[in-house]
Amino acid sequence: ERFNISGSTRIDGEGILSKGAEIWGNFTLTSPLSFSFHPSMTIIPAEHTSLAPMDPSASEQIDSSLIEAAMYVEITNRSPVGGALSLLISDSTFFPLFLDSLDIWGIEMIQDTLGIDLDSISFTAIDPPTNLKALEVKFFYQGNLLFFIGRILDLQFPASESIDPELGYADPSFPGLYTTSVIIDTSLLDWVITDQSRNSNVMITFDGSPISSIIENDTTWVPFTIQTTNAFEVKTMLTLQLDTGSLGRNKFMP
């Protein structure tokens, strides 16, 4: 890229200006970032959220009386980019960007990338062959389970509705709003309702840039312009529907 910068200099006061001397200075350029990418782009925040273990008796009672679980999700997108969001959970702090590709990676490549000793993995897709995203991946060494990574939910979210069609700016005052309540398979809640420590994180896959025009096989994409006023906010709430009769019953009684 080329930057053309102009300015002026003022010398105020007494001094000596030597032959061949130079005048220099520092400057700060504040500019929005515009970019376009053709495939989708996936990011995972560097910081994860730690979930404290439940009391063993409480987790056992909830598990035995659970009827239905739902995850309420509210997404406020004040950026020009839409995409998909997945909520991940693990008994490890490692959340790889290439989670959904682990079934086609060789075990040696996985070992080298992760920097740990492995001899096998178990990959379960969400809904093969329709949806090959990872539902659960288990990592083994010498027959022992080292850790797992599970996907509790996977959903799409819209971009802001107020995007400049040429420059890709989004007006943060008119964000894209998305709310949904997703029924969670009760078998997946064993990852959460447990007396073991868990960690959670989100995987966000941004859609590729929309096409602006195609002229003689020359494709032009609408750029995404990111500003400091852009934000991406996610709120989640897990609700549990329990059988109160089973919840209050003494577990030692028939």
Side-chain angles (χ1 to χ4, degrees):
E1 300 293 342
R2 180 172 60 188
F3 296 88
N4 296 321
I5 301 172
S6 62
S8 61
T9 301
R10 177 183 180 186
I11 300 176
D12 186 9
E14 298 181 357
I16 298 174
L17 185 61
S18 302
K19 181 180 180 180
E22 298 179 352
I23 297 176
W24 66 92
N26 298 322
F27 70 91
T28 300
L29 175 64
T30 302
S31 174
L33 172 65
S34 295
F35 60 93
S36 63
F37 50 93
H38 310 157
S40 58
M41 179 177 67
T42 299
I43 65 171
I44 294 180
E47 298 295 329
H48 62 271
T49 300
S50 298
L51 306 177
M54 297 185 65
D55 180 87
S57 60
S59 63
E60 182 179 346
Q61 280 195 315
I62 293 175
D63 184 61
S64 62
S65 59
L66 182 63
I67 298 176
E68 183 180 88
M71 180 74 73
Y72 173 80
V73 182
E74 179 182 290
I75 299 175
T76 304
N77 188 5
R78 306 179 192 276
S79 79
V81 190
L85 178 141
S86 294
L87 180 61
L88 307 178
I89 192 164
S90 176
D91 54 356
S92 170
T93 59
F94 182 74
F95 295 92
L97 283 171
F98 46 87
L99 176 68
D100 295 324
S101 303
L102 286 173
D103 61 326
I104 59 176
W105 281 37
I107 193 65
E108 292 184 359
M109 185 180 296
I110 297 175
Q111 285 190 107
D112 294 341
T113 304
L114 302 185
I116 58 177
D117 291 328
L118 295 171
D119 52 26
S120 66
I121 68 168
S122 171
F123 185 98
T124 303
I126 292 180
D127 186 19
T130 305
N131 192 338
L132 297 179
K133 290 183 178 180
L135 175 65
E136 182 181 21
V137 182
K138 296 180 179 179
F139 301 82
F140 296 90
Y141 182 65
Q142 295 183 348
N144 297 315
L145 176 63
L146 299 181
F147 61 95
F148 80 95
I149 303 174
R151 179 184 258 114
I152 294 181
L153 61 85
D154 180 53
L155 52 87
Q156 299 289 321
F157 62 87
S160 172
E161 297 180 356
S162 58
I163 301 176
D164 186 294
E166 294 183 359
L167 301 179
Y169 287 94
D171 186 344
S173 302
F174 300 94
L177 299 176
Y178 181 83
T179 58
T180 186
S181 184
V182 182
I183 302 299
I184 304 298
D185 191 323
T186 54
S187 63
L188 304 184
L189 289 181
D190 290 339
W191 298 336
V192 181
I193 303 175
T194 175
D195 57 359
Q196 304 296 316
S197 298
R198 292 288 185 260
N199 299 296
S200 67
N201 210 332
V202 294
M203 174 185 286
I204 305 173
T205 300
F206 293 116
D207 295 334
S209 304
I211 295 177
S212 174
S213 64
I214 302 177
I215 302 176
E216 296 180 354
N217 296 324
D218 185 11
T219 304
T220 302
W221 283 271
V222 177
F224 293 130
T225 301
I226 305 301
Q227 308 167 82
T228 55
T229 53
N230 295 149
F232 185 77
E233 305 162 6
V234 180
K235 297 179 182 179
T236 60
M237 179 176 63
L238 178 65
T239 60
L240 305 176
Q241 182 180 353
L242 305 176
D243 181 347
T244 55
S246 299
L247 187 64
R249 186 180 301 122
N250 190 315
K251 63 180 179 179
F252 297 107
M253 294 178 62

